[in-house]
Amino acid sequence: MIGLISATAAGAAARDRLAAAWPGRTRVYEGPVGDAVRTAFAQCEQLVCFLATGAVVRLVAPLLSGKTEDPGVVCVDEGGRFAVSLLGGHAGGANDLAREVGDLLGAEPVVTTATDAVDLAGLDTLGLPVTGDVAGVSRALLDGEAVALRAEVAWPLPPLPVAEEGTYTIRLTDRLVAEAEREAVLRPPTLVVGVGASKGAPVEEVLGLVRDALREAGLSVASVAELATVDAKAEEAGIVEAARRLGVPLVTYSAKELAGVDVPNPSDAPLSAVGTPSVAEAAALVGGGELLVPKRKSAASPAMATCAVVRRPGRGRLAVVGLGPGARDLLTPRAKAELRRASVLVGLDQYVDQIRDLLRPGTRILESGLGAEEERARTAVEEAREGLAVALIGSGDAGVYAMASPALAEASDDIDVVGVPGVTAALAAGAILGAPLGHDHVSISLSDLHTPWEVIERRVRAAAEADIVVTFYNPRSRGRDWQLPKALGILAEHRTPRTPVGVVRNASRPDESSRLTTLGALDPATVDMMTVVTVGNTATRDIAGRMVTPRGYRWQSAQEDSE
């Protein structure tokens, strides 16, 4: 919950805007400011105070406990100009909250955390438990000193400016190790603990067995991702409470699912009790991985609990990102976030140049020229299969004549794939022209490099006969100068020469140009590969110099009756 506190009418107005925008996420604290801050500080995970920073400092100073316990605090000034991350920038989420508040209120977020100031991913912001010399390693990263990454398990980390060797080290491991000098240890959640238990098994027995098994195998409890068991034990109190105390989810599977898992130590006892020859081992192995601790029983007599431990390697992550038509303000916030999250960026060189300034230090860039789409797709998937966080970029929307389809054709279910939509050239051009896509519309590429012309022509003819607005991509190049006239001729068989046609070149870019003409007047020689051509249907009109396709055909009938 986010507590909202204000002292003036202007502050209350901004406060109420946040409350209205985030219902269920915020709570307004009324009354004397000092009392409101103290109450919210005790009850909320974060605070937004519409007060001077000095006043908030004096109010919260006696309340501070430590960076891992204190809520994040953001201050917004009386004029709503700045959203200042005052306390708990990383641990309390105040840095991100300041940015969110700034976006909503039109305020400038002020973040002074050192790693954020130079756009480095802070070690305490990665969502992984981290111990050791976190401050020393972070300072070395900030100072540009050599910091080595020792990854003992694969995990998709964000970009970090690391080297092969260094006087400081970031160690990524699920092993039970003591931190060395000048070393920070990150614990990825790679371990799955399968658990079986008799009815009424005490939580102390279940939890003690799990902890003993991990310790004796040299594994860290901080890397446990989940406890897993059979559906029949989903409400077994000892297992449920053990998961709660470990702070991990309890995942359950049906006996049929577990019976289909090949295990080294099947048993008749669970088969007769719950319908599967294995619970602990099968539940741990059902998602694949390496069995590190085979089934073992608790030390109690009689033993009422069993467990097994599996390491599931971190799955690589491939984000297929649409950059939009070119203008920076048409690049979506989600796309920006994925670019900052990826440790490897794969893309066409000219697209990389568009967003190079948005990448975090340490991002590895794999760029290539025109005509290497399939190679880029294979490279991105291969990098993700190494357990890395990868962004594969394309213009417009990555799923429209871009990189999503070749990448997904290469990818299998061994990596996570995320699609990030972008503003397409057709949409950008449509907004410039007016509203040409107000009714049914279709996009057709006239490039026959990947599609036989016979197929393209059949699609153009179908759109013409169906009276659908058509946007042509890749309409004309030096080596392909006859396809556009041919396509326009097909449309002309079904539409009058007065049909509006919009021509937009380099939509949303600094050298953008556009014009509205007609099907009869368009000169194909004025069109190139950087252009999209939108041909209206029989209802499309030129209204005050804007291309408009009505949402329904009653409007067309009314227009015709008035002519």
Side-chain angles (χ1 to χ4, degrees):
M1 185 64 65
I2 302 172
L4 305 179
I5 302 103
S6 62
T8 66
R15 175 203 68 192
D16 292 344
R17 285 177 62 190
L18 284 190
W22 296 337
R25 188 182 173 193
T26 56
R27 179 186 302 163
V28 173
Y29 286 79
E30 305 277 10
V33 169
D35 293 342
V37 169
R38 284 186 287 272
T39 304
F41 198 91
Q43 295 179 347
C44 298
E45 292 81 19
Q46 296 175 320
L47 280 69
V48 179
C49 300
F50 296 86
L51 305 164
T53 55
V56 177
V57 167
R58 286 189 291 273
L59 288 170
V60 303
L63 311 176
L64 301 181
S65 298
K67 63 184 298 183
T68 59
E69 293 86 20
D70 296 329
V73 178
V74 171
C75 292
V76 179
D77 67 286
E78 184 75 6
R81 297 170 302 165
F82 304 103
V84 182
S85 174
L86 183 70
L87 178 70
H90 284 168
N95 291 350
D96 289 337
L97 181 60
R99 296 184 183 100
E100 285 189 84
V101 171
D103 286 342
L104 187 59
L105 299 181
E108 180 71 22
V110 179
V111 176
T112 58
T113 310
T115 50
D116 291 78
V118 297
D119 207 20
L120 282 175
L123 297 181
D124 55 350
T125 68
L126 304 183
L128 305 178
V130 57
T131 56
D133 189 9
V134 179
V137 173
S138 298
R139 187 168 54 249
L141 290 170
L142 289 167
D143 292 342
E145 296 186 42
V147 177
L149 175 63
R150 290 178 55 193
E152 298 176 9
V153 291
W155 196 259
L157 294 175
L160 293 167
V162 293
E164 292 186 5
E165 299 293 337
T167 54
Y168 289 83
T169 303
I170 299 170
R171 189 173 181 181
L172 184 68
T173 184
D174 56 15
R175 307 292 302 180
L176 188 61
V177 296
E179 301 88 359
E181 187 179 359
R182 297 185 174 184
E183 180 179 75
V185 178
L186 292 169
R187 308 280 188 184
T190 56
L191 304 178
V192 177
V193 180
V195 178
S198 302
K199 184 176 178 59
V203 61
E204 290 78 12
E205 183 172 345
V206 176
L207 196 56
L209 171 63
V210 170
R211 287 177 169 160
D212 288 347
L214 292 168
R215 184 183 63 255
E216 291 172 21
L219 300 170
S220 172
V221 68
S223 283
V224 174
E226 62 190 46
L227 294 193
T229 191
V230 67
D231 283 348
K233 297 296 179 179
E235 298 182 4
E236 185 64 48
I239 296 177
V240 172
E241 179 62 15
R244 190 193 69 80
R245 294 190 192 180
L246 289 170
V248 299
L250 175 63
V251 179
T252 65
Y253 301 96
S254 68
K256 183 178 180 180
E257 287 179 279
L258 298 186
V261 178
D262 187 27
V263 298
N265 300 293
S267 172
D268 291 335
L271 181 60
S272 60
V274 293
T276 172
S278 172
V279 172
E281 287 182 341
L285 284 167
V286 70
E290 176 187 4
L291 183 62
L292 302 179
V293 179
K295 181 182 74 174
R296 58 177 289 173
K297 297 180 179 180
S298 54
S301 182
M304 299 185 71
T306 60
C307 81
V309 182
V310 164
R311 175 186 288 139
R312 290 183 189 167
R315 289 169 61 88
R317 188 176 191 277
L318 174 61
V320 189
V321 181
L323 300 180
R328 178 58 59 85
D329 59 355
L330 292 182
L331 178 67
T332 67
R334 187 179 300 181
K336 291 179 183 178
E338 289 294 345
L339 295 176
R340 292 167 53 79
R341 176 175 182 165
S343 61
V344 179
L345 181 84
V346 182
L348 179 67
D349 47 15
Q350 60 183 335
Y351 298 152
V352 172
D353 289 340
Q354 287 181 26
I355 47 83
R356 197 182 297 270
D357 63 301
L358 297 178
L359 304 178
R360 276 179 157 162
T363 305
R364 183 158 54 94
I365 300 173
L366 304 176
E367 54 188 317
S368 53
L370 287 168
E373 289 83 3
E374 293 180 357
E375 177 188 340
R376 285 194 290 275
R378 283 193 297 270
T379 298
V381 170
E382 289 168 1
E383 293 287 331
R385 283 181 175 144
E386 294 296 319
L388 302 174
V390 182
L392 175 63
I393 60 173
S395 65
D397 181 275
V400 180
Y401 306 123
M403 295 305 302
S405 54
L408 269 61
E410 290 285 336
S412 52
D413 62 359
D414 56 347
I415 61 173
D416 295 326
V417 178
V418 178
V420 182
V423 178
T424 67
L427 294 177
I432 294 164
L433 294 169
L437 309 182
H439 206 293
D440 297 334
H441 55 275
V442 63
S443 296
I444 299 177
S445 171
L446 295 183
S447 171
D448 55 4
L449 294 177
H450 299 287
T451 306
W453 174 254
E454 293 77 15
V455 175
I456 297 172
E457 182 174 337
R458 187 166 67 246
R459 292 170 179 172
V460 174
R461 194 169 299 281
E465 293 173 352
D467 196 29
I468 296 176
V469 175
V470 181
T471 297
F472 289 124
Y473 280 68
N474 306 311
R476 184 176 181 274
S477 67
R478 291 180 181 178
R480 293 186 301 99
D481 58 0
W482 59 269
Q483 287 90 342
L484 179 59
K486 176 69 173 176
L488 294 174
I490 295 171
L491 292 177
E493 296 173 12
H494 300 269
R495 302 177 195 185
T496 71
R498 295 184 305 165
T499 301
V501 175
V503 180
V504 180
R505 188 177 190 277
N506 284 333
S508 87
R509 302 190 183 190
D511 56 346
E512 168 191 297
S513 64
S514 65
R515 68 184 188 278
L516 186 58
T517 182
T518 64
L519 186 57
L522 175 62
D523 180 4
T526 63
V527 173
D528 62 13
M529 282 289 287
M530 305 303 293
T531 306
V532 290
V533 177
T534 300
V535 182
N537 65 13
T538 57
T540 305
R541 295 290 184 267
D542 177 345
I543 302 177
R546 301 181 184 92
M547 187 175 178
V548 180
T549 302
R551 293 180 62 186
Y553 281 82
R554 294 190 184 93
W555 181 84
Q556 179 186 14
S557 300
Q559 284 284 99
E560 291 173 347
D561 292 342
S562 65
E563 292 177 356

